[in-house]
Amino acid sequence: MKRKFLFRTFLFIFLSSLLSILLFSFLIYYQVRENNYQIAYDQAYSVQDKFQTELLHTMTDYDRLAGTWARDEKFQALFRTKDDAITNEVYNTIYSEIAGKDAKPEVTILDQENTPILSTNPETQEIYHKLPKNWGIFREIDQTKDTVVYPSQKTPAVDFESSLAIGTPIFETDEIIGYIVIDFPHAIFNEIYHSMTVPYHIDLVLSDQNYFSFYDSREVKQRNHFLSNLFQDDFSRKSNLLQEKQTKNETVIQQQIPEYDLLIYTLFPYDLFENLASEIFLSFGLILVFLFIIAALISYFLALTLYRPIGIIMENMQKVENKGLDVRFPVPAHDEMSSIARQFNGMMETIQILIKTNEETQDAIHVAEMKALQSQMKPHFLYNVLNSIKFMARLNNVPEIDGMVTNLANILRANIAIDKKSETVNESVQLVESYLKIQSFRYGDDLKYEIFLEDAAKDALLPRLIIQPLVENAIEHGIEEVNKQGKLFLSIIEKNNQCIVVLEDNGKGIDPEIVDHFKKNSDPQEEKQTDGNGIGLKNVYQRLQYYFGDQFEMNIYNTGGTSVIISFPIRR
């Protein structure tokens, strides 16, 4: 059967691959499980860190703002006068500051008796009317004589919705005459929490150093309360500010915010990873043991079966090595070996043909080289004829023809040098001058040009025939098509070991479509539509790219006329 060898090979590879895939999957499972846990941990820490950063930014911002207000003369004047104009001015100051911020807490100003004078929320103002005089935040301010951060606890007298408050005293000389209290409701912390999208279910709890919670993402509407023992002990220290612990169902990360004596707890479940691991581990174990035994036995018999055809191949390859390319494999009757033998025999015949073809190709190359040498005689002949015309012009005292032929000969000599891959900037400029002198005979006073070449740039190398085609483009596609005196300016300078070439003309200006597409590999039909202008620019760009790689720049601008700026590293 012709498919026996293919079937045996397929069977061997399939079973081996199956075993490899299962083993690999087994290892990958454990790695993925560990990676998922680590990713969840890293994500939880990242969420905690982002929450802390945003919280610190918000708290610090309003802490600074409260201090600024406390020192503001307008705010202090509230306690000396009942002037409505001052009250309105204070209102406007508070609202203008809060309006531009993402977090918008409630601001209340109270006198020394804790009586509210004004508030951004009338309901909050009514609540402060009901609070006892020595209520927590005022007591803390009176004791410390400084700004305090205070978690709002529900009192028997009122139903207070605030989570956290910043309180700042207002002084007159050394006496406290009032207070600024900035209350942060649960909604602000909840907005910060929900602004962070995470792929795992991660919860956050915010408390003070006494484990009094004033934000819990698990139960946002829950009243402030003291945390359970879960959040108070058995933590292992990761750093000075970071600790963690693992419970039966979750991992808890505790991080301190020493600036405000606060604690952030991040919680994420990990039992999902553990349960999944146990189930898959048992299934994988039984399957892998069974497959290992079966695959080992099958691999052994397949190895014996495959040995014979491989031995035949090795034997015939040895014959080829000993007897050369004339040896052919015997073709078996009914086996894939027959296909191998036929293909090998065909390959030997192809190699012999290729060797013969290569010999013929080498002969053809020698003939082409001779023809190329002969073809070089034609430009040299034309160059000699031009020299004869130049000599005749001098004899007949015709300096115009003499000059034009001299410049034409210079251009011809540059084009004859096909083996020369590069030239100096000075040589390029000389060729441009020869070209412009010829054009001056044609245009007369209708063409004015100026060339400036800095000495430091003269010996810099660049590919042959780079600047002259640009000058030719400027005249033929720019200056020639306007009804005014054409002007051309060429400047070449050295700056920071870079050669800067600037070519400007006052012609009709380059088509913006050419500027957009000359660097792209547009098809030849599109290039023809640019009347040759885009082709010349693209040719110059490609040769610069081949010579300098990515170390050059070529830019084209429509400035009424056309400006071309080329920058490339100086090579001497």
Side-chain angles (χ1 to χ4, degrees), residues 471-485:
V471 174
E472 185 177 345
N473 256 353
I475 293 176
E476 293 186 4
H477 300 287
I479 294 175
E480 191 176 81
E481 299 187 22
V482 295
N483 222 358
K484 60 181 179 180
Q485 186 185 55

mmCIF file of all heavy atoms in Angstrom, residues 471-485:
data_model
loop_
_atom_site.group_PDB
_atom_site.id
_atom_site.type_symbol
_atom_site.label_atom_id
_atom_site.label_comp_id
_atom_site.label_asym_id
_atom_site.label_seq_id
_atom_site.Cartn_x
_atom_site.Cartn_y
_atom_site.Cartn_z
ATOM 1 N N VAL A 471 18.451 70.605 -9.539
ATOM 2 C CA VAL A 471 18.533 71.890 -10.235
ATOM 3 C C VAL A 471 17.780 71.805 -11.560
ATOM 4 O O VAL A 471 17.045 72.715 -11.953
ATOM 5 C CB VAL A 471 20.012 72.275 -10.445
ATOM 6 C CG1 VAL A 471 20.108 73.539 -11.290
ATOM 7 C CG2 VAL A 471 20.702 72.478 -9.111
ATOM 8 N N GLU A 472 17.976 70.675 -12.272
ATOM 9 C CA GLU A 472 17.281 70.482 -13.542
ATOM 10 C C GLU A 472 15.766 70.477 -13.346
ATOM 11 O O GLU A 472 15.013 71.091 -14.114
ATOM 12 C CB GLU A 472 17.749 69.162 -14.162
ATOM 13 C CG GLU A 472 17.194 68.908 -15.547
ATOM 14 C CD GLU A 472 17.758 67.625 -16.145
ATOM 15 O OE1 GLU A 472 18.764 67.110 -15.609
ATOM 16 O OE2 GLU A 472 17.180 67.162 -17.138
ATOM 17 N N ASN A 473 15.278 69.811 -12.304
ATOM 18 C CA ASN A 473 13.842 69.827 -11.980
ATOM 19 C C ASN A 473 13.352 71.248 -11.733
ATOM 20 O O ASN A 473 12.282 71.646 -12.176
ATOM 21 C CB ASN A 473 13.597 68.988 -10.730
ATOM 22 C CG ASN A 473 12.974 67.645 -11.070
ATOM 23 O OD1 ASN A 473 12.606 67.382 -12.210
ATOM 24 N ND2 ASN A 473 12.847 66.794 -10.085
ATOM 25 N N ALA A 474 14.151 72.023 -10.948
ATOM 26 C CA ALA A 474 13.742 73.382 -10.603
ATOM 27 C C ALA A 474 13.561 74.241 -11.843
ATOM 28 O O ALA A 474 12.637 75.056 -11.925
ATOM 29 C CB ALA A 474 14.774 74.000 -9.664
ATOM 30 N N ILE A 475 14.442 74.067 -12.843
ATOM 31 C CA ILE A 475 14.355 74.889 -14.056
ATOM 32 C C ILE A 475 13.236 74.399 -14.960
ATOM 33 O O ILE A 475 12.365 75.167 -15.388
ATOM 34 C CB ILE A 475 15.713 74.884 -14.792
ATOM 35 C CG1 ILE A 475 16.766 75.609 -13.930
ATOM 36 C CG2 ILE A 475 15.587 75.551 -16.161
ATOM 37 C CD1 ILE A 475 18.161 75.580 -14.504
ATOM 38 N N GLU A 476 13.211 73.098 -15.258
ATOM 39 C CA GLU A 476 12.287 72.580 -16.252
ATOM 40 C C GLU A 476 10.850 72.527 -15.748
ATOM 41 O O GLU A 476 9.902 72.705 -16.535
ATOM 42 C CB GLU A 476 12.729 71.178 -16.689
ATOM 43 C CG GLU A 476 14.047 71.184 -17.450
ATOM 44 C CD GLU A 476 14.398 69.818 -18.011
ATOM 45 O OE1 GLU A 476 13.567 68.908 -17.851
ATOM 46 O OE2 GLU A 476 15.480 69.671 -18.581
ATOM 47 N N HIS A 477 10.645 72.253 -14.442
ATOM 48 C CA HIS A 477 9.284 72.106 -13.927
ATOM 49 C C HIS A 477 8.858 73.262 -13.047
ATOM 50 O O HIS A 477 7.754 73.253 -12.516
ATOM 51 C CB HIS A 477 9.162 70.807 -13.120
ATOM 52 C CG HIS A 477 9.471 69.582 -13.931
ATOM 53 N ND1 HIS A 477 8.615 69.089 -14.879
ATOM 54 C CD2 HIS A 477 10.566 68.766 -13.925
ATOM 55 C CE1 HIS A 477 9.157 68.005 -15.428
ATOM 56 N NE2 HIS A 477 10.334 67.794 -14.865
ATOM 57 N N GLY A 478 9.729 74.245 -12.859
ATOM 58 C CA GLY A 478 9.377 75.384 -12.026
ATOM 59 C C GLY A 478 9.561 76.700 -12.736
ATOM 60 O O GLY A 478 8.616 77.390 -13.115
ATOM 61 N N ILE A 479 10.825 77.074 -12.973
ATOM 62 C CA ILE A 479 11.143 78.387 -13.540
ATOM 63 C C ILE A 479 10.629 78.515 -14.969
ATOM 64 O O ILE A 479 10.117 79.560 -15.378
ATOM 65 C CB ILE A 479 12.661 78.628 -13.454
ATOM 66 C CG1 ILE A 479 13.085 78.738 -11.975
ATOM 67 C CG2 ILE A 479 13.055 79.864 -14.226
ATOM 68 C CD1 ILE A 479 14.561 78.844 -11.767
ATOM 69 N N GLU A 480 10.785 77.443 -15.760
ATOM 70 C CA GLU A 480 10.427 77.508 -17.180
ATOM 71 C C GLU A 480 8.942 77.780 -17.391
ATOM 72 O O GLU A 480 8.536 78.301 -18.424
ATOM 73 C CB GLU A 480 10.820 76.185 -17.853
ATOM 74 C CG GLU A 480 10.751 76.228 -19.373
ATOM 75 C CD GLU A 480 11.251 74.923 -19.971
ATOM 76 O OE1 GLU A 480 10.464 73.977 -19.995
ATOM 77 O OE2 GLU A 480 12.423 74.889 -20.397
ATOM 78 N N GLU A 481 8.100 77.436 -16.387
ATOM 79 C CA GLU A 481 6.653 77.535 -16.571
ATOM 80 C C GLU A 481 6.061 78.805 -15.963
ATOM 81 O O GLU A 481 4.854 78.915 -15.802
ATOM 82 C CB GLU A 481 5.979 76.308 -15.971
ATOM 83 C CG GLU A 481 6.433 75.011 -16.633
ATOM 84 C CD GLU A 481 5.643 73.817 -16.146
ATOM 85 O OE1 GLU A 481 4.528 74.036 -15.643
ATOM 86 O OE2 GLU A 481 6.127 72.686 -16.298
ATOM 87 N N VAL A 482 6.895 79.786 -15.591
ATOM 88 C CA VAL A 482 6.396 81.080 -15.103
ATOM 89 C C VAL A 482 6.867 82.183 -16.023
ATOM 90 O O VAL A 482 7.916 82.069 -16.682
ATOM 91 C CB VAL A 482 6.867 81.348 -13.658
ATOM 92 C CG1 VAL A 482 6.263 80.339 -12.707
ATOM 93 C CG2 VAL A 482 8.381 81.331 -13.547
ATOM 94 N N ASN A 483 6.124 83.251 -16.079
ATOM 95 C CA ASN A 483 6.398 84.335 -17.010
ATOM 96 C C ASN A 483 7.136 85.456 -16.287
ATOM 97 O O ASN A 483 6.650 86.578 -16.212
ATOM 98 C CB ASN A 483 5.081 84.851 -17.581
ATOM 99 C CG ASN A 483 5.202 85.119 -19.070
ATOM 100 O OD1 ASN A 483 6.254 84.952 -19.636
ATOM 101 N ND2 ASN A 483 4.095 85.522 -19.659
ATOM 102 N N LYS A 484 8.268 85.145 -15.709
ATOM 103 C CA LYS A 484 9.063 86.166 -15.019
ATOM 104 C C LYS A 484 10.500 85.674 -14.959
ATOM 105 O O LYS A 484 10.815 84.542 -15.333
ATOM 106 C CB LYS A 484 8.520 86.394 -13.619
ATOM 107 C CG LYS A 484 8.533 85.150 -12.729
ATOM 108 C CD LYS A 484 7.951 85.445 -11.367
ATOM 109 C CE LYS A 484 7.951 84.184 -10.498
ATOM 110 N NZ LYS A 484 7.384 84.451 -9.164
ATOM 111 N N GLN A 485 11.374 86.573 -14.488
ATOM 112 C CA GLN A 485 12.789 86.200 -14.399
ATOM 113 C C GLN A 485 12.961 85.087 -13.355
ATOM 114 O O GLN A 485 12.504 85.201 -12.230
ATOM 115 C CB GLN A 485 13.635 87.412 -13.989
ATOM 116 C CG GLN A 485 15.146 87.113 -14.013
ATOM 117 C CD GLN A 485 15.963 88.279 -13.491
ATOM 118 O OE1 GLN A 485 15.743 88.741 -12.386
ATOM 119 N NE2 GLN A 485 16.892 88.743 -14.317
#
